[in-house]
Amino acid sequence: MIKKFIYLEWKAFTRSASFGANLAMKILIGFLMVYFSLIFVAMGVGAFYILKKMNLEPLITINKFLVYYFLSDLVVRLLMQAIPVLNIKPLLVLPFKKPTIVHFSLGKTAISFFNWTHAFFFVPFSAVLIIEGYDFVGIIFWLIAAFSIVYINNFLNIILNNIDKLFVVFLAIALSLGAAQYYKLFDITTFTGPVFQGFYETNWLFIIPVLVLIGLYLFTFKYFKNNLFLDAGLSKKEDIATTENLVWLNQFGTLGTFLKNDIKLIKRNKRSKTTIFMSILFLFYGLIFFGNSHQPEIMHIFAGIFVSGGFLFVFGQFVPSWDSSYYQLMMTQNIPYRGYITSKWWLIVIATFISTILASFYLFYGLEIYLTIVAGAIYNIGVNSHLVLLGGAFTKTPIDLSNASGAFGDKKAFNISAMLLTLPKLLLPLLLYWIGLHFGDKTLGLILVTGAGILGFVFRNTVFSIIEKRYKIEKYSTISAYKQKN
């Protein structure tokens, strides 16, 4: 039975309308996997000797900060790790047992890159510890405990992405702990360090994360098995009906009609609401770089792009996929592509402007920092907004808004493929800012970045014509891709 599932997964991949794009993306991701694996191996081998050279006890020091390692791992998973899915509905009318379907889908997560990549750090580090004379049995138990926590994160990621309230609670706790540690109000490592050290020193303690992992797997299995029905994700909660005419947008004609539809889409669907939440999180991205003397100066513009461009990246990245469920109907109507593209652009511009205003708290770091965010916002409006709309013609990933809460529903608005597509949007402003720093100072760098944004805004009509032409060329392949529920 498992062999048949693997066969079906392979056929779904090779017969996809976007097979070429998917294959190219997987090859690129494969290179990145090799790159990060080598980095983890180097960290695993070198960590012991680097810490020893710093007159620190290696295992105790690593155990002290493992809590942040695993918290970071979980955050990265929540943002980037896609939940493995099967084409569930066709299978439910066939003589396949539900437990088999669920076990296979959950089992796919075991071979995820987000799990086995940790072995490239923990295994070499454990080998060095054993070679250097640490207790063999204690290290093995410590290693088992560490990998149990890795897989605990794996199943937490699945649960948190299907139960929204748990995701919000976890995120609030993680941010609170990080802030308390940063401002020296509360040091969580004082309590977690001895626990991780105990996995090595106390032989039976490793059983606790193993039992938690087993319990979490059983809970996840039961949750999905109980929600594995043909109509899972199709039924909606009954709320009091409300009308939103947004008549004030009528004065903008066709553009106003498109804007009304987009605003209603964002307000009424759980998955699109996530974009607002993610945009708010992007506002705090600059805290990592601004005021941190260890960060290279060039990274300031990187932060400025992200602080003001949260909505652009998480919503604009998936235009026109947000309309995939009725895209075919739209194409049968006399809808001008220019009006459709322009409405999306204005939505991105308005969100970028609001984000820039909300980011005014960065004035605490000085006017120069806030001007960096403003420069990033201008670049986002003039250049990146056009790039995400142009990229939308090639990103043929259907989004099922009605299936946001169903079993095995992937409602991520930000995944690894989306992240890779953002790279070209960041290289140019970094290059412009670097040129400014190299031949002048920060002011020249900001002028170059801002100038690129202004030029993009001035020539927006020409750019819109190019985007419109590309959408028309890709029209039928896009419709074909949206017919497939990948």
Side-chain angles (χ1 to χ4, degrees):
M1 191 64 67
I2 299 298
K3 184 179 179 181
K4 291 182 179 179
F5 284 147
I6 296 174
Y7 173 79
L8 291 173
E9 289 281 290
W10 174 252
K11 287 297 182 183
F13 172 67
T14 56
R15 293 177 177 177
S16 170
S18 54
F19 171 71
N22 288 341
L23 183 61
M25 186 62 70
K26 288 185 181 296
I27 292 173
L28 179 57
I29 292 173
F31 282 116
L32 287 175
M33 287 180 177
V34 173
Y35 173 73
F36 284 110
S37 297
L38 292 175
I39 290 177
F40 269 63
V41 170
M43 290 171 56
V45 174
F48 180 91
Y49 300 104
I50 292 173
L51 292 173
K52 202 75 173 176
K53 190 175 181 180
M54 297 170 63
N55 296 320
L56 296 172
E57 208 292 318
L59 185 58
I60 293 177
T61 305
I62 290 294
N63 283 331
K64 180 178 180 180
F65 294 101
L66 272 184
V67 61
Y68 290 113
Y69 179 91
F70 290 122
L71 279 175
S72 300
D73 171 55
L74 184 53
V75 170
V76 171
R77 289 173 186 270
L78 290 168
L79 292 175
M80 297 171 59
Q81 185 183 9
I83 305 300
V85 297
L86 282 170
N87 240 338
I88 298 295
K89 291 176 183 177
L91 296 177
L92 292 178
V93 298
L94 298 174
F96 294 138
K97 294 181 179 180
K98 287 183 181 179
T100 304
I101 297 174
V102 178
H103 279 307
F104 179 76
S105 294
L106 294 180
K108 286 175 65 178
T109 64
I111 57 174
S112 169
F113 169 76
F114 291 91
N115 291 323
W116 54 260
T117 187
H118 296 283
F120 289 105
F121 171 74
F122 283 108
V123 172
F125 183 68
S126 299
V128 173
L129 289 175
I130 293 172
I131 293 172
E132 293 294 332
Y134 284 72
D135 179 60
F136 177 81
V137 175
I139 292 299
I140 295 299
F141 287 156
W142 178 82
L143 190 61
I144 292 172
F147 270 100
S148 297
I149 296 174
V150 167
Y151 279 95
I152 286 172
N153 276 355
N154 179 73
F155 292 110
L156 277 177
N157 174 50
I158 297 173
I159 295 169
L160 292 172
N161 274 279
N162 285 275
I163 305 177
D164 298 320
K165 292 180 180 178
L166 289 180
F167 171 73
V168 174
V169 170
F170 163 78
L171 194 61
I173 293 173
L175 290 175
S176 299
L177 289 175
Q181 176 80 16
Y182 182 80
Y183 292 105
K184 299 180 179 179
L185 299 175
F186 174 72
D187 187 358
I188 187 66
T189 61
T190 304
F191 302 94
T192 58
V195 174
F196 288 113
Q197 186 68 20
F199 294 143
Y200 167 73
E201 295 177 350
T202 308
N203 290 342
W204 59 267
L205 198 60
F206 81 99
I207 297 175
I208 295 177
V210 172
L211 293 177
V212 171
L213 173 61
I214 295 171
L216 200 56
Y217 180 87
L218 294 175
F219 174 82
T220 309
F221 172 81
K222 184 178 180 181
Y223 172 79
F224 284 116
K225 183 174 178 290
N226 292 339
N227 287 277
L228 200 61
F229 300 101
L230 278 172
D231 59 349
L234 297 180
S235 58
K236 299 179 180 179
K237 289 180 68 175
E238 295 183 4
D239 295 318
I240 298 174
T242 57
T243 58
E244 298 172 289
N245 294 323
L246 301 173
V247 292
W248 59 276
L249 287 171
N250 291 338
Q251 60 184 309
F252 300 107
T254 304
L255 175 62
T257 301
F258 283 125
L259 284 173
K260 284 196 291 186
N261 289 336
D262 289 331
I263 292 172
K264 290 176 181 178
L265 179 145
I266 292 172
K267 293 181 65 177
R268 293 176 180 177
N269 297 281
K270 186 178 295 185
R271 181 164 182 172
S272 53
K273 284 180 182 178
T274 305
T275 63
I276 303 298
F277 179 70
M278 293 297 296
S279 300
I280 295 173
L281 291 183
F282 270 74
L283 287 174
F284 302 99
Y285 191 81
L287 297 175
I288 301 173
F289 298 95
F290 300 137
N292 187 345
S293 58
H294 298 291
Q295 291 290 347
E297 218 168 26
I298 194 175
M299 296 306 293
H300 283 183
I301 195 63
F302 180 87
I305 294 289
F306 267 90
V307 168
S308 61
F311 185 83
L312 179 147
F313 289 118
V314 298
F315 181 87
Q317 204 71 281
F318 290 94
V319 173
S321 294
W322 294 108
D323 305 310
S324 60
S325 58
Y326 50 86
Y327 195 77
Q328 298 171 62
L329 176 62
M330 286 176 56
M331 294 300 101
T332 63
Q333 310 299 312
N334 186 24
I335 294 176
Y337 261 118
R338 176 62 67 92
Y340 177 79
I341 295 169
T342 304
S343 71
K344 302 295 185 185
W345 183 79
W346 271 109
L347 197 64
I348 291 171
V349 169
I350 293 169
T352 303
F353 180 76
I354 293 173
S355 296
T356 306
I357 298 299
L358 293 176
S360 58
F361 64 86
Y362 282 104
L363 284 168
F364 173 79
Y365 291 101
L367 180 61
E368 187 179 84
I369 294 298
Y370 186 65
L371 288 177
T372 303
I373 295 172
V374 173
I378 294 173
Y379 183 86
N380 281 330
I381 292 173
V383 180
N384 280 346
S385 60
H386 300 148
L387 289 175
V388 294
L389 291 176
L390 180 60
F394 305 97
T395 307
K396 302 177 178 66
T397 305
I399 295 177
D400 188 358
L401 296 172
S402 65
N403 199 30
S405 60
F408 300 104
D410 177 16
K411 61 184 180 179
K412 289 179 180 291
F414 189 77
N415 53 38
I416 192 167
S417 298
M419 186 200 71
L420 291 173
L421 290 171
T422 66
L423 294 180
K425 305 173 185 65
L426 298 172
L427 294 179
L428 180 57
L430 285 174
L431 177 61
L432 291 173
Y433 194 68
W434 177 83
I435 292 173
L437 291 176
H438 185 71
F439 294 100
D441 53 14
K442 294 180 183 178
T443 303
L444 179 59
L446 293 178
I447 289 174
L448 290 175
V449 174
T450 304
I454 293 174
L455 283 174
F457 182 80
V458 170
F459 293 102
R460 66 186 184 282
N461 289 328
T462 302
V463 177
F464 282 169
S465 297
I466 297 173
I467 296 174
E468 181 182 9
K469 183 179 179 180
R470 176 49 57 182
Y471 269 77
K472 288 179 178 178
I473 293 173
E474 300 291 331
K475 174 180 177 179
Y476 295 105
S477 61
T478 301
I479 291 173
S480 176
Y482 286 164
K483 287 180 180 179
Q484 300 186 36
K485 301 299 181 182
N486 291 329

